[in-house]
């Protein structure tokens, strides 16, 4: 039986194709989440300030069009988890045992997108909503403790993840943004924590959004590099090989002059 043709392009269901699809999903996830809260900021009530109040406030019971941001968060969470486990993890296998757990940390931290239920009882920006209502609710405690822990995992993920990435030369372009994430992420997280969580300080919303943008940026960077790496490998795979002149029929054959009959 004849085997697969040498030099054939990867099949549609090949590992490279699957990794590329999950890289695209990871990139789309960050764009969806970022656009989600940017748009949701625009239609909150007159008492809402994106500088003071958090993104979670926009998903509370009674928040305008909360379903929109909830949907964005669900899509972002699913896309980020899929990217970490089915895109980044297999792509980093050549790095060996170094920080092998790092993609799993990214997937765990991405669960923070999904901490929506039980929902907050009301937006703190509303005049009738008090800090006590949040503290006395399951949704408020889940948001503060559950999402707080998961965001902490997400913030420290760049430390072990970069240890794994730097083992492979194609990931070196990620170095500046990963260094920035390792330095700025913990600073922004601590600064945000000191602003709240239930008695929001004057800049809690601004600091949280800066942290969200930083996180989305480094995840997008990894997704783009992975997409470029897969596309470059596929392009090289498609390039025709140089003709083998030793093959019969590759070039016309001529007898040397001294071998011709006199």
């Amino acid at each position: 039986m004849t085997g697969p043709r040498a030099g054939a392009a990867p099949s549609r269901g090949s590992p490279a194709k699957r990794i590329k699809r999950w890289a695209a999903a990871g990139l789309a996830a960050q764009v969806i989440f970022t656009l989600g809260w940017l748009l949701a900021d625009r239609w909150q009530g007159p008492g809402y300030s994106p500088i003071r109040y958090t993104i979670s406030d926009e998903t509370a019971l009674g928040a305008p069009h909360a379903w929109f941001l909830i949907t964005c968060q669900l899509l972002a969470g699913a896309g980020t988890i899929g990217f970490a486990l089915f895109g980044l993890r297999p792509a980093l296998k050549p790095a060996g045992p170094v920080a092998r757990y790092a993609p799993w940390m990214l997937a765990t931290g991405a669960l923070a997108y999904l901490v929506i239920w039980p929902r907050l009882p009301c937006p703190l920006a509303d005049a009738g909503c008090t800090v006590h209502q949040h503290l006395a609710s399951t949704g408020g405690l889940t948001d503060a403790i559950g999402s707080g822990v998961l965001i902490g995992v997400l913030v420290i993920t760049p430390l072990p993840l970069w240890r794994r990435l730097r083992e492979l030369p194609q990931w070196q372009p990620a170095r500046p943004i990963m260094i920035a994430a390792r330095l700025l992420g913990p600073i922004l997280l601590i600064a945000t924590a000191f602003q709240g969580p239930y008695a929001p300080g004057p800049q809690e919303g601004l600091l949280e959004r800066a942290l969200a943008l930083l996180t989305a940026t480094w995840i997008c960077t990894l997704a783009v590099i992975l997409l470029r790496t897969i596309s470059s490998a596929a392009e090289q795979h498609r390039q025709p090989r140089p003709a083998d002149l030793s093959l019969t029929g590759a070039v016309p054959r001529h007898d040397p002059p001294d071998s011709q009959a006199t």
Side-chain angles (χ1 to χ4, degrees):
M1 181 179 293
T2 305
R5 184 165 57 96
S11 64
R12 187 173 182 180
S14 68
K17 291 285 187 180
R18 289 194 295 270
I19 290 173
K20 187 175 182 179
R21 285 196 291 267
W22 282 112
L27 177 61
Q30 310 316 308
V31 174
I32 288 171
F33 177 61
T34 303
L35 288 178
W37 60 258
L38 282 173
L39 290 172
D41 284 352
R42 300 174 62 86
W43 57 60
Q44 302 305 308
Y48 186 87
S49 167
I51 296 176
R52 180 177 178 85
Y53 295 105
T54 67
I55 296 171
S56 297
D57 221 40
E58 300 174 335
T59 64
L61 292 169
H65 311 297
W67 61 268
F68 174 80
L69 186 53
I70 288 173
T71 302
C72 289
Q73 288 192 211
L74 293 175
L75 292 173
T80 306
I81 293 170
F83 167 60
L85 297 183
F86 308 118
L88 201 57
R89 187 174 61 89
L92 295 179
K93 280 185 178 180
V98 178
R100 187 175 288 162
Y101 56 87
W104 290 96
M105 283 185 65
L106 175 56
T108 301
L111 291 172
Y113 292 107
L114 308 180
V115 181
I116 300 169
W117 290 282
R119 291 171 64 189
L120 296 169
C122 56
L124 279 174
D126 287 0
C129 187
T130 66
V131 172
H132 175 74
Q133 285 178 279
H134 276 241
L135 286 170
S137 72
T138 306
L141 291 173
T142 302
D143 180 67
I145 299 172
S147 66
V149 170
L150 293 170
I151 290 172
V153 172
L154 197 57
V155 165
I156 64 174
T157 295
L159 280 78
L161 188 55
W162 174 242
R163 287 178 52 216
R164 188 159 180 78
L165 291 169
R166 68 186 180 188
E167 295 293 313
L168 303 173
Q170 64 266 36
W171 292 97
Q172 296 310 305
R175 185 174 184 271
I177 186 61
M178 295 304 288
I179 291 176
R182 291 163 63 192
L183 295 176
L184 296 178
I187 293 173
L188 288 171
L189 179 63
I190 293 170
T192 304
F194 273 109
Q195 291 281 314
Y198 288 110
Q203 287 90 34
E204 183 181 6
L206 178 63
L207 290 168
E208 184 197 53
R209 283 164 173 79
L211 180 58
L213 281 174
L214 176 65
T215 303
T217 300
W218 68 258
I219 296 176
C220 280
T221 300
L222 299 186
V224 169
I225 292 175
L226 184 52
L227 284 169
R228 290 176 60 183
T229 300
I230 297 293
S231 298
S232 177
E235 183 64 28
Q236 292 177 6
H237 195 85
R238 285 194 296 265
Q239 288 179 356
R241 296 181 176 181
D244 187 351
L245 301 182
S246 66
L247 294 177
T248 302
V251 294
R253 297 185 60 185
H254 302 282
D255 294 325
D258 57 350
S259 65
Q260 293 178 357
T262 56

